Amino acid sequence: MKKTILTVAVSAMLFGATTQVNAAGFQLAEYSSTGLGRAFAGEAAMADNAAAQARNPAMLTYLEGRQLSGGAIYVMPNVDVVGDVSISSPLLGPDPISMPADAIDFADSAIVPNFYYSNQLNEQWTWGLAVNSNYGLATELDATHPAALFGDETGITTVEFNPNIAYKINDAFSVGAGLRIVYGEGHVGASMPGWIDGVKQAVPDLAPMLPEAGASLKYMEGDDIAFGWQLGTSWQINETHRLGFAYHSGVELELDGHASGLLYDGGQDVYIEGYLPIELPAFAELASHHQFTDNWAMHASVNWTQWSVFEELVAHFPGENKPVGDLESDLVKEENFKDNWRFALGTTYQLNDKWLVRGGMALDKGAAQDEYRSTTIPDSDRLWFSAGAGYQATQNLTVDFAVTYIKGVGDAPIDETQDLLGLASVNYSGDVEADVWLVGVQLSYKM
């Protein structure tokens, strides 16, 4: 399942491209509009509402009574890959044939919802439930686009259910733990670009052997449910300063489904069973909260994600019907990601009894290395600029608003090569240009 599965896999942990201009490797960061307003700075040490458990389950001990929090973030990505395709073959002459192959704004907008509940059982124990999405993606090129050979459609949807429990040891220390239940489904495909018609005209003897423009070459869809865990702790140093630390384990998915397309089924009506093991990486956060005055606070975070576990993708075909060539397994792609770091600094200011404002900035380092970056994972370094506000609508109801602009920075070159039926070598060379707007709202209610 070459490029197809690749995207399903990667999408799940990333940006899904859609958003992965949001977090490295394309990991969704949009768990709450409250935190979005400060660029998610200090999240593992914050307890604004029930959403706090998504980043650090220990923060549940700071929430009184029963609380609900729900909201959504609208993600508007603008991801462009500006580049060229070149075709090299002795059948087409001594020099490569080149053509423009820009992919402009090929990541779709999406809504990322969330829901949280917390329940304080007594002075020591609090439990909660988080439902959100950590990974998601939707990208699509025209089936005859010059770069469609490298992937023309990708989609991934994930939902995480996360029950948590927290215990307050004393006035200074709290601990928490939770179970991660992740459901994911995805699809991905690659098709024959329109330039194949020109190849057929140039070499008419080969025309019967070549696919039609827009024909599906590879397609795969699949889903799975997998489990992980998370731990957190907090240290209330004094009344005005607090530290928080949280660790989320990796989650090992096996996307079970089927494969199709000319390069897998040879044009025959046959069902090919396949699966792809994918380890979504572990991640951790060290955060701080500092209440300098009654009205003004600062927050900071250092985040680490173990992207180095994402070295390669290998597809397996356990069924009786095998892909063309009787493949038992197939090396999809070498990714060789590196661990990534994110640094965030934010602030909150209480204007009056009804309103507070937030702001923040972050640097999110990319996980892809230049020599392995692909069109399906156009990862790069990112800068975050966030602003938000909170409104105390009633004694029990708070409404938070946030807007964030994320800009890809630095060079992000792509250089990929594919073999075309053993007849030609097709190369795609380009550069990633990306930015994202995020707009969110969060409603939190104390029951």
Side-chain angles (χ1 to χ4, degrees):
M1 305 192 165
K2 301 229 175 235
K3 274 298 177 196
T4 62
I5 307 185
L6 161 59
T7 312
V8 170
V10 180
S11 308
M13 36 188 115
L14 330 292
F15 160 137
T18 173
T19 9
Q20 197 6 134
V21 194
N22 309 358
F26 296 92
Q27 186 178 25
L28 287 176
E30 296 76 26
Y31 84 99
S32 162
S33 297
T34 308
L36 179 65
R38 53 178 174 258
F40 299 116
E43 296 307 290
M46 302 294 292
D48 304 280
N49 50 52
Q53 63 190 295
R55 296 294 279 264
N56 184 354
M59 300 313 298
L60 282 168
T61 62
Y62 286 81
L63 304 177
E64 297 180 352
R66 294 180 297 154
Q67 299 191 24
L68 291 171
S69 185
I73 296 175
Y74 186 53
V75 183
M76 297 169 284
N78 177 27
V79 182
D80 303 334
V81 179
V82 180
D84 300 292
V85 163
S86 62
I87 309 169
S88 302
S89 172
L91 299 174
L92 301 175
D95 298 320
I97 299 174
S98 298
M99 66 197 76
D102 296 347
I104 304 299
D105 196 17
F106 67 95
D108 294 341
S109 298
I111 296 176
V112 183
N114 62 76
F115 172 80
Y116 306 95
Y117 172 75
S118 67
N119 188 336
Q120 183 185 31
L121 301 176
N122 52 46
E123 291 296 321
Q124 282 74 43
W125 292 97
T126 306
W127 72 275
L129 175 66
V131 182
N132 56 23
S133 177
N134 284 301
Y135 314 103
L137 160 71
T139 61
E140 184 175 3
L141 293 176
D142 187 87
T144 58
H145 187 278
L149 183 69
F150 297 90
D152 70 325
E153 61 174 312
T154 302
I156 184 72
T157 301
T158 66
V159 179
E160 179 165 339
F161 299 88
N162 181 212
N164 296 289
I165 188 73
Y167 180 73
K168 183 177 181 179
I169 300 172
N170 53 41
D171 289 342
F173 295 99
S174 295
V175 294
L179 175 66
R180 304 183 66 195
I181 306 170
V182 181
Y183 169 76
E185 63 178 8
H187 70 272
V188 61
S191 58
M192 179 54 65
W195 47 253
I196 195 65
D197 290 337
V199 175
K200 290 180 180 180
Q201 293 178 6
V203 191
D205 291 344
L206 293 179
M209 302 172 53
L210 300 175
E212 297 295 324
S216 175
L217 298 178
K218 298 177 181 180
Y219 178 85
M220 183 177 181
E221 61 182 28
D223 62 2
D224 190 24
I225 296 177
F227 302 89
W229 51 271
Q230 62 186 43
L231 295 173
T233 185
S234 68
W235 176 25
Q236 190 72 45
I237 302 171
N238 53 42
E239 292 184 355
T240 57
H241 299 285
R242 180 169 61 244
L243 295 178
F245 175 79
Y247 176 85
H248 301 246
S249 77
V251 175
E252 296 183 4
L253 287 169
E254 285 191 357
L255 295 181
D256 294 309
H258 71 276
S260 61
L262 292 175
L263 297 184
Y264 284 142
D265 58 28
Q268 302 299 310
D269 184 13
V270 59
Y271 184 90
I272 301 175
E273 180 184 354
Y275 72 90
L276 182 72
I278 303 166
E279 182 176 357
L280 306 182
F283 56 97
E285 178 179 2
L286 177 63
S288 66
H289 167 75
H290 310 279
Q291 193 72 43
F292 291 116
T293 71
D294 291 341
N295 295 337
W296 176 52
M298 293 287 291
H299 331 284
S301 285
V302 177
N303 300 76
W304 164 85
T305 303
Q306 194 182 13
W307 278 113
S308 58
V309 302
F310 190 45
E311 296 179 345
E312 62 182 16
L313 295 170
V314 179
H316 301 270
F317 310 101
E320 294 183 3
N321 297 323
K322 305 297 183 184
V324 174
D326 290 328
L327 295 178
E328 294 285 345
S329 64
D330 188 19
L331 175 62
V332 175
K333 192 174 185 295
E334 289 188 69
E335 293 294 347
N336 294 315
F337 271 25
K338 59 185 178 181
D339 292 352
N340 99 288
W341 294 85
R342 184 181 190 273
F343 309 91
L345 183 65
T347 187
T348 301
Y349 188 81
Q350 188 78 42
L351 296 175
N352 51 48
D353 291 341
K354 289 288 187 179
W355 287 95
L356 63 77
V357 292
R358 302 181 178 96
M361 296 179 60
L363 170 63
D364 194 3
K365 301 292 291 182
Q369 301 188 64
D370 287 350
E371 57 267 41
Y372 297 103
R373 186 180 290 106
S374 66
T375 54
T376 48
I377 315 178
D379 191 25
S380 66
D381 294 349
R382 290 156 296 280
L383 282 175
W384 288 57
F385 304 93
S386 299
Y391 175 66
Q392 193 72 44
T394 70
Q395 182 178 352
N396 295 329
L397 177 64
T398 302
V399 183
D400 293 311
F401 310 91
V403 60
T404 290
Y405 177 70
I406 304 173
K407 176 64 177 177
V409 296
D411 296 330
I414 293 177
D415 191 355
E416 292 190 271
T417 301
Q418 288 253 23
D419 176 74
L420 178 61
L421 304 175
L423 302 174
S425 176
V426 183
N427 175 263
Y428 184 84
S429 179
D431 292 282
V432 178
E433 300 175 1
D435 59 49
V436 177
W437 282 97
L438 309 175
V439 179
V441 62
Q442 194 82 16
L443 279 71
S444 301
Y445 186 76
K446 296 179 180 179
M447 303 173 66

